Amino acid sequence: MSGLLPVEEAQARTLTLRTPLSPETIAFSECFGRYLSQPVTALRDQPAAALSAMDGYAIRFADLPGPWTIAGEVAAGAVPSRALGPGEAIRIFTGAMLPEGADTVVVQEDVAAKGATLTLTGDGPAARGRHIRPRAGDFAAGAPLLDAGARLTPGAIAAAIMAGAPAAPVHRRPRVAILSTGDELVEPGRPLAPGHIPDSNGAMLAAMLAAEPAAVALPLHARDERGTISNILRELARHHDVIVTIGGASVGDHDHVRGALADAGGAVDFWRVAMRPGKPLIAGTLGEAVLLGLPGNPASAFVTATLFLLPLVRHLAGARDPFQPRGQAPLAVPLAAGGDRRDYLRARLDGGALTPLDSRDSGQTRPLIAANALIVRDRDASARDAGALVDYIAIA
């Protein structure tokens, strides 16, 4: 459609409005979900020595099938006091260092100890090196483990610590302000006068951002007054990296976000995207802050936040790939032809198949309860039969 940006171009332009935030170093106990500002390279071998993988006895494979003379014991964290000689066995526990001279561990279930004599009662190890974790079997010093921009998952945190990193080098968390606009909106829990509705969008976006590395301020509300909105935007830009407005992004007499942004000294980079729902989307800047003006209908706000706000926050937090990946799944039911914009249809992925939800009304919130996916249907897409593969984006 004339004057509407394609979704991918709009997403790319949003990310160019500001570079990732400055790096900082934080404790591993605080870094879950953050993005690395620099690569993590192993500073040590892991394990740093050959270790036993089981409780049992360290032996020489050549001495099988025994018997052996028990010559000592080594526990995890201890250093073996002596080397292993021919015909000897040393009691060893999981995670303990292998004594010099030993090349195999026989598990305790396959042997019996009587005094200082150890005899084989089971099959014993089938090959040299059984039940041993070799030195650097996980990784060696100098090995690249995590790239810059990688998300610190629990597994990544464990690997970085084991690699010898003293702390986590990450990007600063974006500070995000949420501003709902509209005379009809009332704070949740307050009595409603005729024509008023509860403000659900502010809490919804805050919940969406709760899983992201962002510092989110409590949602604010402004009436449909251009001067009021302008003053609030100017103040928010002083303390936040991202300002998200909800509502007031269209062309009605009471849609003031674009004008208020200009009055505050900001600039619009683009307005209106070729998508449904969510066409009247604003992206711009005000000082150092990026402003995203989302539509006010709940489904529109949800979809545009998924496609633009969450990737922007991840980008500023240093993510290498900030966009939610697409998947493919078959349709459980037929799907009608698309229209003149890209559609993001609320859907339910269940049993490996996608069912579009009946309602396309972007003002309804009930479909958001059931939806766990957005079917991505390109402009002028043809009708699809049940079983046809379609693209989708997973949502919470």
Side-chain angles (χ1 to χ4, degrees):
M1 295 178 67
S2 177
L4 302 187
L5 275 183
V7 174
E8 285 83 1
E9 182 179 346
Q11 288 178 313
R13 284 174 61 164
T14 300
L15 299 193
T16 64
L17 295 176
R18 188 168 178 185
T19 57
L21 301 177
S22 58
E24 62 179 2
T25 301
I26 62 175
F28 281 112
S29 60
E30 301 171 354
C31 76
F32 172 67
R34 303 286 288 273
Y35 295 95
L36 286 169
S37 60
Q38 62 188 52
V40 171
T41 300
L43 302 179
R44 56 183 294 276
D45 292 344
Q46 174 54 30
L51 305 178
S52 176
M54 301 288 284
D55 290 344
Y57 291 83
I59 62 170
R60 301 191 319 167
F61 186 76
D63 290 338
L64 279 166
W68 301 268
T69 299
I70 300 173
E73 177 180 296
V74 58
V79 177
S81 60
R82 62 186 291 270
L84 186 73
E88 292 183 333
I90 290 181
R91 180 76 165 119
I92 196 166
F93 297 91
T94 302
M97 290 177 61
L98 204 68
E100 183 183 348
D103 60 14
T104 304
V105 169
V106 57
V107 296
Q108 62 188 16
E109 292 85 357
D110 284 349
V111 291
K114 186 174 182 180
T117 301
L118 184 72
T119 56
L120 189 66
T121 59
D123 293 336
R128 179 179 281 104
R130 288 299 301 272
H131 309 307
I132 291 175
R133 296 171 182 158
R135 177 171 182 164
D138 194 358
F139 49 78
L145 294 183
L146 296 164
D147 294 331
R151 184 174 182 267
L152 283 165
T153 62
I157 293 169
I161 293 172
M162 203 63 87
V170 297
H171 290 271
R172 180 171 64 79
R173 291 193 303 165
R175 298 163 299 188
V176 182
I178 300 171
L179 176 64
S180 297
T181 68
D183 290 346
E184 76 281 13
L185 299 178
V186 176
E187 184 179 343
R190 293 286 183 89
L192 298 175
H196 287 183
I197 60 172
D199 178 9
S200 63
N201 284 331
M204 178 180 71
L205 293 192
M208 294 176 74
L209 289 166
E212 304 298 331
V216 183
L218 290 175
L220 302 174
H221 171 251
R223 295 181 60 83
D224 287 324
E225 297 170 351
R226 179 165 166 167
T228 299
I229 296 172
S230 178
N231 289 336
I232 293 174
L233 293 180
R234 189 180 293 110
E235 181 62 23
L236 291 177
R238 295 176 54 199
H239 306 289
H240 297 87
D241 304 296
V242 178
I243 303 169
V244 190
T245 63
I246 314 168
S250 193
V251 294
D253 292 342
H254 300 283
D255 293 315
H256 297 305
V257 170
R258 283 187 297 145
L261 177 61
D263 293 346
V268 172
D269 184 82
F270 66 83
W271 172 56
R272 302 199 310 167
V273 179
M275 60 184 290
R276 182 188 292 108
K279 179 179 74 173
L281 174 76
I282 300 169
T285 55
L286 179 56
E288 294 295 314
V290 177
L291 180 136
L292 279 181
L294 310 186
N297 283 322
S300 300
F302 183 92
V303 170
T304 50
T306 299
L307 297 178
F308 291 90
L309 175 59
L310 300 186
L312 173 63
V313 166
R314 295 169 191 150
H315 164 71
L316 294 178
R320 181 176 62 243
D321 184 3
F323 295 105
Q324 194 80 350
R326 284 196 194 187
Q328 277 198 328
L331 288 167
V333 297
L335 184 62
D340 58 358
R341 286 178 272 160
R342 178 178 290 174
D343 284 317
Y344 292 89
L345 307 177
R346 289 159 287 176
R348 183 73 188 174
L349 179 63
D350 193 15
L354 285 160
T355 302
L357 301 180
D358 290 336
S359 174
R360 306 290 166 81
D361 185 344
S362 61
Q364 293 186 1
T365 55
R366 187 169 183 175
L368 293 174
I369 300 174
N372 62 2
L374 297 174
I375 293 175
V376 183
R377 186 171 57 168
D378 284 331
R379 175 183 175 179
D380 298 326
S382 59
R384 308 298 298 274
D385 294 329
L389 289 176
V390 294
D391 289 349
Y392 74 93
I393 297 171
I395 59 176

